[in-house]
Amino acid sequence: MYTEKVMDHFQNPRNVGEIKDADGVGEVGNVKCGDIMRIYLKVTDNVIKDVKFRTFGCGAAIATSSVITEMAVGKTIEEALELTNKQVADELGGLPPVKMHCSNLAADALKTAIEDYKENNK
Amino acid sequence: MKKVYLDHAATTPLNPKILETMLPFYKDLFGNPSSVHSFGREVKKHVDKARNQVAEAINADYDEEVIFTSGGTEADNLAILGVAAALKDKGKHIITSSVEHHATLDTCDALAKEGYKVTRLSVDEYGVIDLDELKSAISEDTILITIMHANNEVGTIQPIKEVVDIAKKHNVYVHTDAVQSFGQIPVDVNQLGVDLLTISAHKIYGPKGIGALYVRKGTKLKNTAHGGGQESKIRPGTENVAGIVGLGEAARLASTSLDEIKDMERKRDRLIEGLLKMEDVKLNGHPSKRLPSNVNVSIEFIEGEALILSLDMEGIAASSGSACTSGSLDPSHVLMHMGLSHQTAHGSLRLTLGKGNTDEDIDYVLDRVPKIVERLRSMSPLYGNQIKRGSECPCTQKK
């Protein structure tokens, strides 16, 4: 059902945790299936230097949260905003169809965190 | 890695002794039991023997009251659709419960689309139906009450005898799905008084793809498939002989080994006690009126599928009522009807024991589960001070 990469990120999630003095925090949830992702950002000179996450959800939800943290680090805010849920799923070698809309919230969570960062830095 | 199988409610391993009884019917004894020649007649004897074994195991009065089907789902379908077709001139009202297996719920839904009225009885926090609600629901139009003997998810045992007592006063048939209960608690069609009863072989260490419907003599039931005279013309089609022989042997062994269940019950209680030692864990289902094999708990702040995957990595096979394990987005309808919150229902864990499970298996599970729960909770934004314990997650509150 899941690719090896999904299982790897589920088993060994990268960047789990919180950033106490985060520059931006974003949380999204899927109302129907109940998954919740919270992403914390540290930004320096418009570049994402650190990302951490906490997720309540299934294997796919945890894996997508983990992989987006790897994809976002080092990107400018503008580049990170262009990341899509589909790119996240592709990075993991694909997700089962039912997980595409229930568990793949990672890019949405990142965007929400970036919006929060922008709001804090107006 | 140690392997512990705790998903016996999904399926049990095939007993090698049962397999042995089946093998000749895949090799030398290949005749069609409907054939009049010696090849067919020889095989027919074994089909008849299996029918007798099943009838004896459930204390049926006549062997002919046992109709072989392809499994529990087909038997449930045949019972409900068959009675509905046979009695459509008498009435078009069927009563079931809200926590049935989908083999029953979906079949009732199909009839509802054809103009039948279906009442789904509610259940209490333990998953037990309300007999007063049943009494109120019965009308002159009611033709069938179909309530499962024991629930497949939470193991709650329903008061079927009392259901029958109520139904008889109104001359209404009662069907019970005993797929989960048969082999674990006494299933006696005369003690229960039911008119129709479903069993399945692969839940009692028999083969997959074979089950039976008990139909009390005189019960009006119309065939739902056409094309042959087998199974009293109720279920046509060449018999799955090896499966039937396997079911017969499995039924015989199940009904004669109920004493082994006591030890399973003790291990179940050890598991429940151990799991409830963790914080924010609650038992789902009835505390005492439950199957000896069934453990179902809700573990707050984690999601069921993540737990199942993590357990699998430790060699433990379990299941969950989580939406994410089912292919639908909704968590278990059983847990939701028992009043659990969306969030809590997502974090359910079902462990179902079998005869092969040892105390070492229980020790292993009780060692691993808390570590996995701790790890998943450490990842969860719901755990800790962010969200008050027991409350819904923010995204669900937006509903």
Side-chain angles (χ1 to χ4, degrees):
Chain A
M1 171 173 154
Y2 287 139
T3 64
E4 276 184 31
K5 198 163 178 187
V6 171
M7 289 306 290
D8 176 39
H9 275 271
F10 169 69
Q11 204 167 355
N12 309 293
R14 284 61 144 175
N15 304 310
V16 177
E18 296 175 19
I19 299 174
K20 292 291 178 197
D21 55 345
D23 297 319
V25 180
E27 182 173 296
V28 294
N30 182 305
V31 174
K32 189 87 171 145
C33 77
D35 291 348
I36 303 171
M37 291 178 191
R38 186 183 294 163
I39 284 193
Y40 302 82
L41 291 181
K42 199 74 191 157
V43 181
T44 307
D45 297 333
N46 201 44
V47 173
I48 297 173
K49 293 290 185 187
D50 194 12
V51 191
K52 295 241 183 275
F53 82 90
R54 280 189 182 276
T55 289
F56 167 90
C58 61
I62 290 169
T64 55
S65 307
S66 169
V67 82
I68 193 97
T69 62
E70 288 191 331
M71 292 168 81
V73 168
K75 285 195 166 50
T76 65
I77 290 298
E78 292 72 27
E79 288 168 341
L81 277 171
E82 285 175 14
L83 287 171
T84 65
N85 284 334
K86 186 178 179 310
Q87 284 174 307
V88 173
D90 290 345
E91 184 70 18
L92 288 166
L95 287 172
V98 72
K99 301 288 181 180
M100 289 302 286
H101 62 287
C102 97
S103 303
N104 193 0
L105 302 162
D108 295 341
L110 179 66
K111 280 188 180 68
T112 310
I114 291 172
E115 294 306 325
D116 185 53
Y117 160 73
K118 284 182 169 177
E119 194 65 30
N120 295 338
N121 289 276
K122 264 185 180 172
Chain B
M1 186 202 298
K2 187 173 171 65
K3 287 274 194 185
V4 179
Y5 183 78
L6 283 171
D7 200 13
H8 291 83
T11 197
T12 52
L14 179 61
N15 181 336
K17 285 181 189 165
I18 294 172
L19 176 63
E20 266 178 43
T21 66
M22 296 169 62
L23 288 176
F25 301 91
Y26 287 117
K27 295 192 288 189
D28 304 329
L29 295 171
F30 62 85
N32 186 325
S34 295
S35 299
V36 293
H37 49 61
S38 63
F39 292 83
R41 289 201 311 274
E42 173 64 20
V43 170
K44 178 77 164 52
K45 278 196 297 191
H46 292 277
V47 171
D48 290 344
K49 181 186 167 193
R51 198 184 308 280
N52 175 258
Q53 286 174 313
V54 174
E56 283 198 351
I58 58 174
N59 195 31
D61 294 330
Y62 305 97
D63 292 357
E64 295 73 31
E65 292 177 324
V66 174
I67 304 289
F68 293 118
T69 66
S70 66
T73 295
E74 189 196 326
D76 285 345
N77 271 257
L78 178 57
I80 297 163
L81 298 175
V83 168
L87 298 184
K88 65 181 175 191
D89 293 332
K90 181 178 180 253
K92 286 193 160 186
H93 179 220
I94 293 169
I95 299 172
T96 187
S97 85
S98 53
V99 295
E100 296 295 307
H101 189 279
H102 279 288
T104 294
L105 291 177
D106 293 357
T107 306
C108 288
D109 285 348
L111 284 173
K113 284 180 186 160
E114 290 177 23
Y116 287 77
K117 185 185 165 198
V118 177
T119 300
R120 290 188 184 194
L121 302 177
S122 60
V123 293
D124 64 15
E125 61 181 306
Y126 302 119
V128 183
I129 57 161
D130 181 343
L131 293 172
D132 287 330
E133 191 185 354
L134 170 65
K135 285 177 196 165
S136 306
I138 296 177
S139 70
E140 284 191 358
D141 211 28
T142 309
I143 52 172
L144 178 68
I145 299 167
T146 173
I147 307 282
M148 67 204 325
H149 195 193
N151 187 268
N152 53 310
E153 288 189 36
V154 296
T156 297
I157 299 165
Q158 299 289 0
I160 297 301
K161 177 78 178 71
E162 288 82 349
V163 169
V164 171
D165 290 343
I166 293 165
K168 275 188 180 164
K169 289 178 189 159
H170 300 269
N171 200 24
V172 173
Y173 287 155
V174 175
H175 164 247
T176 193
D177 178 340
V179 164
Q180 293 292 336
S181 57
F182 182 51
Q184 289 197 45
I185 57 174
V187 172
D188 180 323
V189 290
N190 283 314
Q191 261 183 15
L192 290 170
V194 292
D195 304 288
L196 304 116
L197 180 140
T198 294
I199 63 167
S200 177
H202 76 106
K203 312 288 185 173
I204 51 169
Y205 308 91
K208 294 173 185 66
I210 185 74
L213 179 66
Y214 161 79
V215 185
R216 186 177 292 280
K217 197 173 181 185
T219 303
K220 287 179 180 159
L221 186 78
K222 205 165 185 294
N223 57 311
T224 55
H226 307 271
Q230 295 91 345
E231 299 302 298
S232 309
K233 295 185 182 173
I234 291 292
R235 202 278 187 181
T238 301
E239 293 90 340
N240 169 8
V241 176
I244 287 170
V245 169
L247 170 59
E249 187 62 7
R252 185 184 71 78
L253 291 171
S255 62
T256 55
S257 60
L258 283 174
D259 50 335
E260 289 176 42
I261 302 300
K262 276 281 162 208
D263 195 46
M264 186 192 289
E265 205 167 337
R266 181 185 61 77
K267 290 173 194 141
R268 175 202 69 183
D269 291 343
R270 277 196 64 211
L271 251 183
I272 291 174
E273 196 184 333
L275 292 171
L276 292 181
K277 280 182 184 162
M278 290 188 292
E279 266 187 22
D280 299 306
V281 176
K282 86 175 261 298
L283 180 69
N284 294 320
H286 199 283
S288 58
K289 291 174 194 162
R290 72 183 303 129
L291 290 176
S293 65
N294 181 285
V295 177
N296 190 313
V297 291
S298 281
I299 304 174
E300 298 280 1
F301 312 116
I302 60 164
E303 196 279 333
E305 192 216 60
L307 178 60
I308 299 305
L309 287 174
S310 302
L311 285 168
D312 187 47
M313 288 169 191
E314 299 285 351
I316 301 165
S319 76
S320 169
S322 154
C324 287
T325 56
S326 66
S328 97
L329 294 183
D330 295 314
S332 151
H333 68 285
V334 175
L335 298 175
M336 294 300 281
H337 281 291
M338 285 165 54
L340 269 69
S341 72
H342 209 269
Q343 201 66 49
T344 305
H346 270 295
S348 67
L349 169 66
R350 182 185 74 172
L351 301 168
T352 44
L353 292 100
K355 291 177 181 175
N357 288 125
T358 62
D359 276 300
E360 288 70 36
D361 292 344
I362 307 302
D363 293 338
Y364 182 70
V365 171
L366 290 177
D367 175 67
R368 292 303 192 275
V369 172
K371 290 171 185 164
I372 292 168
V373 168
E374 191 183 342
R375 173 178 167 267
L376 291 174
R377 279 180 174 169
S378 74
M379 269 193 269
S380 173
L382 302 176
Y383 193 59
N385 297 321
Q386 297 94 332
I387 304 286
K388 194 181 162 198
R389 277 179 186 164
S391 67
E392 291 285 333
C393 75
C395 72
T396 311
Q397 284 172 343
K398 285 175 199 160
K399 251 179 126 176

